Amino acid sequence: MSFFLDQCYEQMNQGEVVVAYKGTIGADIIANTLSLVELKLEKAEIQNAIKKKLYNVLVESLQNLYHHVDTPLSENEDKDDCKSNFGIFILSKLNDGYRISTGNFIHHNKIPIIKEKIDKINSLSSEELKDFYKFVLNNQKFSEKGGGGLGLIDMARKTGNKLEYRFFEYNKDFDFFNLIVFINTPEII
Amino acid sequence: MELISIEGTPKTPTITMNAETGVVEIKGRSIPENSIEFYKPIVDWLEEYSNSPAPKTIVNVQLEYFNTSSSKCILDVFKKLEVLKKNNNDVVINWYYEEDDEDMLEAGEDYESIIKVPFKMIQIVD
């Protein structure tokens, strides 16, 4: 992997890693990652409802990667970075919950759209998020990549937390987009 | 009409659709990357079924997980049921959720508020 991606990975990483993956994001990898996480969660001492929530958010994060990865097209850059559908995925455990960090290349001109969307989601109350979710569910068609436009809204709604994001500049055309989602784990009473 | 019976996989639910009894069941997980492809035969079946439906149509939805991509397809399934109901047919959707799974209950309530078909929220108690 290139120095650039190593640096991205380092910055994305935090807490105690449960599962981490760097490479091509395909349907098989998603399936394998999910069953691995499910196995690990079985042993974790957290409420069933929280496990389900975590699993749900994981599915959305991974499929978001699957649907939205762009591949940088550049002859001079490191070849590893130009492998198609490259993504990074890190699930880690913090003191009071879990953290899901995903990263993928995006075209520079997509930054404003992504920013606008996440900022809007972060500005909404839980009641407004519910209405927004229902509106998109009922009115928006599937994109050509198969995304329903609901993933980010769903993550914010299910976790009750704000979505965090960063962009690492790769070259003049491409950036590495890092999305971070937190899932709180209340103590079992 | 053809009886539909699709076995579940780690990413797709078990589906049974019986035109004679009017019972439709969707059970398990629905987290495929391409949910349109998976749900197409189900939506098509309902389209044909609505030409000569059973006296009462009962739809049991018992999902453990579903992704947002499936949520749109499930809405398409429910929209077919809404047409059925509009044409004066007896239709009910039984939405099952596990005792502590508030997210799943809320998801059912979202559909209930969009689709004009009677919903029954049923808690699964272990």
Side-chain angles (χ1 to χ4, degrees):
Chain A
M1 206 166 58
S2 74
F3 179 64
F4 171 79
L5 287 172
D6 280 338
Q7 276 188 317
C8 289
Y9 182 85
E10 281 314 311
Q11 292 198 54
M12 285 170 65
N13 204 352
Q14 210 182 77
E16 176 197 329
V17 174
V18 180
V19 176
Y21 175 80
K22 312 175 245 195
T24 305
I25 303 287
D28 286 351
I29 287 298
I30 294 180
N32 293 343
T33 307
L34 287 173
S35 50
L36 179 63
V37 171
E38 206 171 11
L39 258 173
K40 293 205 173 202
L41 283 181
E42 251 172 49
K43 293 172 198 146
E45 286 180 3
I46 45 173
Q47 293 166 23
N48 214 19
I50 302 292
K51 281 184 193 175
K52 279 186 126 179
K53 206 183 269 289
L54 176 58
Y55 190 84
N56 255 308
V57 178
L58 262 177
V59 170
E60 290 306 324
S61 310
L62 288 169
Q63 294 187 339
N64 220 24
L65 275 185
Y66 177 84
H67 288 300
H68 298 292
V69 281
D70 283 344
T71 306
L73 300 166
S74 166
E75 287 169 14
N76 306 321
E77 305 291 340
D78 195 309
K79 277 199 181 125
D80 273 359
D81 300 353
C82 302
K83 277 184 190 154
S84 60
N85 301 338
F86 180 88
I88 293 181
F89 163 79
I90 307 167
L91 168 68
S92 46
K93 196 178 175 333
L94 310 175
N95 288 333
D96 52 354
Y98 286 87
R99 178 180 185 273
I100 299 170
S101 181
T102 52
N104 58 281
F105 284 107
I106 53 147
H107 199 276
H108 191 70
N109 62 18
K110 284 188 188 160
I111 290 183
I113 306 167
I114 297 176
K115 266 190 173 166
E116 194 188 336
K117 177 144 196 188
I118 300 179
D119 291 345
K120 178 179 178 173
I121 290 169
N122 283 344
S123 74
L124 300 177
S125 67
S126 61
E127 206 49 40
E128 287 167 331
L129 265 179
K130 185 189 175 114
D131 290 340
F132 188 40
Y133 180 92
K134 285 200 276 186
F135 176 80
V136 176
L137 173 68
N138 205 13
N139 294 288
Q140 203 162 292
K141 295 264 172 278
F142 277 100
S143 73
E144 58 183 72
K145 283 190 173 178
L150 285 166
L152 292 172
I153 309 172
D154 190 56
M155 288 182 221
R157 195 176 164 196
K158 288 218 167 84
T159 63
N161 291 322
K162 304 290 176 209
L163 306 173
E164 288 182 15
Y165 62 90
R166 285 180 292 187
F167 297 97
F168 302 112
E169 195 184 327
Y170 179 63
N171 61 22
K172 70 173 175 43
D173 293 323
F174 286 90
D175 291 75
F176 200 72
F177 165 53
N178 176 207
L179 177 73
I180 303 153
V181 192
F182 295 95
I183 298 106
N184 306 330
T185 47
E187 281 178 42
I188 298 175
I189 306 158
Chain B
M1 243 186 107
E2 193 192 346
L3 185 92
I4 287 198
S5 175
I6 305 169
E7 215 175 304
T9 72
K11 281 190 185 179
T12 54
T14 300
I15 308 272
T16 48
M17 305 176 98
N18 187 330
E20 252 173 66
T21 60
V23 177
V24 171
E25 274 192 319
I26 305 176
K27 207 173 171 179
R29 297 175 173 200
S30 184
I31 53 169
E33 282 78 31
N34 189 344
S35 44
I36 304 177
E37 203 181 312
F38 179 78
Y39 279 93
K40 192 175 181 299
I42 296 155
V43 174
D44 290 348
W45 188 93
L46 282 170
E47 173 94 44
E48 198 191 325
Y49 170 77
S50 62
N51 295 324
S52 53
K56 185 174 172 112
T57 304
I58 301 168
V59 181
N60 298 314
V61 184
Q62 190 174 337
L63 289 169
E64 194 188 351
Y65 299 110
F66 66 94
N67 60 0
T68 55
S69 163
S70 298
S71 69
K72 287 205 170 222
C73 296
I74 294 168
L75 184 71
D76 288 341
V77 168
F78 289 168
K79 281 191 170 160
K80 291 283 171 215
L81 301 170
E82 192 173 41
V83 174
L84 203 61
K85 172 79 188 163
K86 211 176 155 193
N87 294 333
N88 295 315
N89 293 291
D90 199 354
V91 187
V92 65
I93 298 171
N94 293 320
W95 184 272
Y96 290 85
Y97 65 98
E98 275 184 49
E99 203 171 1
D100 56 353
D101 195 349
E102 278 175 32
D103 289 339
M104 194 53 79
L105 172 63
E106 233 180 279
E109 289 169 349
D110 285 351
Y111 286 120
E112 190 180 21
S113 72
I114 298 172
I115 298 291
K116 292 181 192 73
V117 171
F119 272 72
K120 234 163 104 183
M121 302 298 169
I122 303 171
Q123 199 182 75
I124 309 163
V125 184
D126 286 336

